Amino acid sequence: MAVIQDRQLGDILVEQGVISPLELDEALQRQRLTGEMLGRVLFKMNLCDEQDIIDALGVQAGMERVDITKLKVPDEVLRKVPADVAKFYNVVPIRETDGKLVVAMADPLNLGIRDTIQQIVGMEVKGAISNPQDVATFIKNNYTFESDNIHETLNELIERVGDAELTMEELGQQEIVGDVDNLVQLAQEPEVIKIVNLVLLDAVTKRASDIHFEVYEEDFRIRIRIDGVLHEISSPPKALSLALISRVKVMCNMDIGERRLPQDARIELKIGDSEVDIRVATLPTLYGENVVMRILDRTAVKVELDKLGFTPQALKSISNVISKPNGIFLVTGPTGSGKTTTLYACLNDLNQVGVKIITTEDPVELQIDRIIQVQVREEVGLTFAASLRSILRQDPDIVMVGEIRDLETAQIAVEASLTGHLVLSTIHTNSAPETITRLLDMDLDPFLITSSLEAVLAQRLVRTVCRHCRKPYRPDEKEMDLLGLPDAWRKDPNLKFFRPEGCPACDYIGYMGRVGLFELLVVDDHICELIQERAMAHEIRKYARKKLGMKTLREEGIIKCVQGITTADEVLAHTDKFEDDD
């Protein structure tokens, strides 16, 4: 570790011309009042960015500053760090001096990265400061490598490891399960580190939402979920399962020796150019621990309403609803249908200086600046209802409740809306009209529903057919009947749908990305009358379609089929046809 020098951070920033002496004095005065770190104070005052602070801290720690764009690195030095490692950690070896490898790093002060690279390359690593974008560009221009086919690289490495009689395979036997030191040693094997890194890199590159490590009686497989569907990427020898799972547990600071109880953890990683939050959950099974890693790519998350796929009319209606000073807006759908993303987009739209927003979530999936977020902890009594009660004593303007699960939470949400708060929440039902009957089934008074509920949005996510390889075709009568296609569309001689073929652009899956199907029910006076009469869902749906112009999820899906956005198979798999759809 570099020794911290006597020079002060503020003085270094002045010498580098980042801030003026007068600005430094002002920041030091504010620091004395707040007690915060000087770097954080300067950042909040918009006097410098995070990279300026990292550079100055590197200088303070005695690290050199290199302009990697002006360096010509010999091939033998480049080969010291494997290409996949360089891409994963955004690092470039620039020279070897006195048995030490000098590495230009996007984050040279991250000692954990330096220690891991030392494990992989087998020699001492010294960090140097360089611009992150320059490092990424250098990697792209100078490594012709496995990153273009990470999947093949991963399987080649696993095959080499499986063929070699490595000590880690011996360590992976059941006898050493209780020996924590051996498990730690196992997790730090260079080959194990590289395999886990490649799995993460492959998952992020392919926009996967989850990584599954699954142990069976005779097998071990790794799968990733892309656009809601699981795909197997590797089947390593079962002898490697303990090593790879131990590595994941070390990365997220889990108890590596605990294999009898489930564990949960959260880590933040910078993988190449992507900043990701990863939620990790272990589950003891009959044949060993299974691990699921939920990936949230901060750079890929769309949290703007106008980018979620709403029609202009629906977008206008939703904007009108959430601009009201009070009321309840509910989003419904099954798990994984994008409900939380829609609510985050609403909050992002509402997040203004003069508004106080508090959320209660289980779990907090995305951290949003200038919004107070509360994590539900039912094991200590912090339920949605208990959290919501406390939130209302914090003088909020807008409240988001992760989910309305019971009558108590529903009643508190209604009370909040009636006392001048806008409440956003989710609920599990199959359609927008069924949400109203669900609230009635909870024994919520019809008068309270009509007094507070402004709108319900039902949604689904369907895969988007790859535009590079999709093929047009005319659906046959059977497919038209299954979808419930309107007669006017059936008679159109130019009617065509699209089917996936598979190509390199979509990794031969045939689909690339997902799009939302939305069913928006805005509550008007007649809907209120139907609620008072405890009308059935099909009655509410019939009125909403004929008088309010509501499109059902199936109708939205059909439109997107004709537009060439998705396929009939996707729409049939994710939407229902109701009798009153005819």
Side-chain angles (χ1 to χ4, degrees):
M1 182 187 298
V3 178
I4 300 295
Q5 307 297 308
D6 292 335
R7 299 170 67 195
Q8 297 298 312
L9 176 67
D11 295 335
I12 295 172
L13 288 168
V14 170
E15 290 173 13
Q16 294 179 336
V18 176
I19 60 175
S20 69
L22 192 61
E23 289 170 333
L24 174 59
D25 289 340
E26 185 182 350
L28 289 171
Q29 289 178 26
R30 187 171 299 189
Q31 182 194 28
R32 283 192 285 270
L33 291 172
T34 64
E36 293 180 289
M37 300 290 288
L38 179 61
R40 178 57 55 188
V41 173
L42 290 165
F43 180 75
K44 285 184 176 180
M45 292 174 66
N46 293 319
L47 295 177
C48 60
D49 58 29
E50 290 186 355
Q51 189 58 44
D52 292 328
I53 296 168
I54 289 173
D55 288 353
L57 287 170
V59 172
Q60 189 182 45
M63 294 183 183
E64 66 175 308
R65 180 85 163 87
V66 296
D67 184 352
I68 200 167
T69 62
K70 297 179 179 178
L71 296 179
K72 179 161 181 62
V73 181
D75 289 342
E76 60 270 20
V77 174
L78 274 180
R79 285 194 294 268
K80 293 284 184 182
V81 174
D84 52 279
V85 175
K87 181 172 178 60
F88 187 89
Y89 293 112
N90 211 17
V91 300
V92 171
I94 55 176
R95 67 173 181 274
E96 185 179 349
T97 306
D98 298 329
K100 298 178 183 178
L101 187 64
V102 180
V103 177
M105 308 171 70
D107 187 3
L109 300 180
N110 190 326
L111 300 180
I113 290 179
R114 287 158 59 192
D115 291 343
T116 301
I117 295 172
Q118 284 182 174
Q119 290 277 351
I120 294 172
V121 301
M123 63 188 300
E124 186 176 345
V125 170
K126 183 178 180 182
I129 307 163
S130 191
N131 180 277
Q133 190 55 53
D134 290 345
V135 172
T137 301
F138 188 94
I139 292 170
K140 184 177 180 180
N141 294 338
N142 289 271
Y143 278 107
T144 56
F145 74 114
E146 309 101 297
S147 99
D148 293 334
N149 202 333
I150 301 166
H151 183 68
E152 284 187 12
T153 308
L154 171 63
N155 285 329
E156 286 173 8
L157 177 60
I158 288 174
E159 189 175 337
R160 287 203 308 272
V161 171
D163 290 343
E165 294 184 2
L166 298 171
T167 55
M168 69 174 181
E169 189 165 333
E170 297 170 7
L171 288 169
Q173 303 305 312
Q174 294 297 320
E175 296 88 22
I176 61 93
V177 164
D179 190 333
V180 174
D181 289 339
N182 280 339
L183 287 174
V184 172
Q185 179 184 347
L186 191 62
Q188 292 177 341
E189 289 283 344
E191 293 85 357
V192 171
I193 294 172
K194 285 192 66 178
I195 290 172
V196 172
N197 287 355
L198 280 167
V199 169
L200 282 164
L201 190 58
D202 194 27
V204 170
T205 301
K206 292 177 177 176
R207 306 170 292 102
S209 61
D210 304 85
I211 305 171
H212 294 239
F213 294 84
E214 301 169 331
V215 184
Y216 301 93
E217 183 176 10
E218 301 292 339
D219 306 309
F220 173 51
R221 67 176 177 175
I222 302 172
R223 297 194 289 173
I224 59 177
R225 189 179 296 278
I226 304 172
D227 297 329
V229 178
L230 282 169
H231 302 269
E232 185 170 312
I233 62 169
S234 184
S235 295
K238 190 179 178 184
L240 292 180
S241 63
L242 185 61
L244 299 182
I245 289 171
S246 295
R247 173 60 190 167
V248 172
K249 292 168 77 173
V250 166
M251 289 175 68
C252 56
N253 296 315
M254 284 183 175
D255 182 350
I256 193 171
E258 179 55 78
R259 303 182 69 237
R260 300 165 298 173
L261 295 173
Q263 297 186 67
D264 292 285
R266 187 169 187 154
I267 52 175
E268 297 179 5
L269 292 176
K270 185 169 176 62
I271 301 175
D273 297 332
S274 300
E275 292 184 5
V276 297
D277 289 330
I278 302 179
R279 211 165 63 235
V280 185
T282 68
L283 179 69
T285 70
L286 189 61
Y287 301 111
E289 277 185 299
N290 280 9
V291 173
V292 173
M293 306 177 76
R294 167 64 58 88
I295 303 170
L296 183 65
D297 187 345
R298 294 183 196 170
T299 60
V301 174
K302 294 180 181 177
V303 287
E304 296 178 24
L305 273 175
D306 59 357
K307 293 183 179 177
L308 296 183
F310 290 108
T311 62
Q313 182 181 356
L315 183 61
K316 182 180 179 181
S317 297
I318 292 173
S319 297
N320 288 338
V321 167
I322 64 174
S323 64
K324 294 185 177 182
N326 57 276
I328 296 178
F329 174 50
L330 294 177
V331 181
T332 186
T335 300
S337 60
K339 301 186 298 295
T340 303
T341 300
T342 298
L343 288 183
Y344 279 152
C346 291
L347 293 181
N348 192 53
D349 199 56
L350 296 167
N351 195 3
Q352 307 296 327
V353 175
V355 177
K356 182 170 184 176
I357 302 175
I358 307 181
T359 75
T360 175
E361 306 170 62
D362 183 22
V364 174
E365 302 225 7
L366 178 65
Q367 297 173 27
I368 307 178
D369 290 338
R370 302 189 310 278
I371 286 181
I372 300 167
Q373 295 172 275
V374 179
Q375 170 73 54
V376 166
R377 299 188 185 279
E378 294 195 358
E379 68 275 10
V380 296
L382 187 60
T383 61
F384 277 119
S387 178
L388 186 51
R389 279 199 193 91
S390 299
I391 285 171
L392 294 177
R393 293 193 286 270
Q394 295 291 314
D395 189 31
D397 298 294
I398 299 168
V399 177
M400 186 191 101
V401 184
E403 183 182 346
I404 292 179
R405 296 176 179 172
D406 50 42
L407 176 60
E408 183 182 14
T409 308
Q411 286 177 328
I412 300 171
V414 168
E415 290 169 12
S417 72
L418 294 177
T419 54
H421 302 87
L422 178 65
V423 179
L424 312 180
S425 188
T426 72
I427 191 168
H428 281 287
T429 62
N430 289 324
S431 68
E434 287 175 89
T435 299
I436 292 174
T437 55
R438 171 79 177 116
L439 293 174
L440 290 169
D441 290 342
M442 283 183 176
D443 287 332
L444 199 62
D445 191 297
F447 173 75
L448 294 178
I449 299 174
T450 57
S451 301
S452 57
L453 187 63
E454 295 292 338
V456 181
L457 177 72
Q459 65 179 71
R460 299 289 189 276
L461 289 177
V462 293
R463 290 186 292 173
T464 306
V465 67
C466 176
R467 291 185 172 273
H468 299 281
C469 63
R470 65 180 184 178
K471 299 295 181 185
Y473 73 99
R474 182 176 177 82
D476 57 26
E477 288 297 324
K478 181 180 178 181
E479 195 168 43
M480 290 183 187
D481 289 340
L482 286 172
L483 284 168
L485 216 63
D487 288 338
W489 289 23
R490 291 171 184 253
K491 296 173 183 177
D492 183 353
N494 296 318
L495 175 69
K496 63 180 178 181
F497 286 176
F498 293 82
R499 59 166 57 99
E501 289 288 321
C503 67
C506 61
D507 204 21
Y508 298 97
I509 295 173
Y511 295 91
M512 187 185 297
R514 288 192 288 181
V515 67
L517 305 181
F518 302 100
E519 176 182 289
L520 180 63
L521 173 63
V522 178
V523 177
D524 69 355
D525 290 341
H526 187 68
I527 294 286
C528 287
E529 291 176 11
L530 292 173
I531 294 172
Q532 292 285 5
E533 296 167 3
R534 295 181 176 270
M536 301 297 287
H538 70 86
E539 296 177 68
I540 298 172
R541 182 184 303 107
K542 185 176 182 179
Y543 168 77
R545 292 180 66 225
K546 289 187 176 180
K547 301 298 184 182
L548 302 181
M550 183 187 82
K551 293 276 193 304
T552 65
L553 292 167
R554 174 60 61 86
E555 289 169 333
E556 277 266 305
I558 293 172
I559 291 170
K560 285 185 166 59
C561 283
V562 173
Q563 292 172 338
I565 295 172
T566 190
T567 65
D569 287 342
E570 281 293 294
V571 173
L572 289 169
H574 293 91
T575 65
D576 297 315
K577 180 179 180 295
F578 299 99
E579 290 182 6
D580 53 303
D581 283 352
D582 297 322

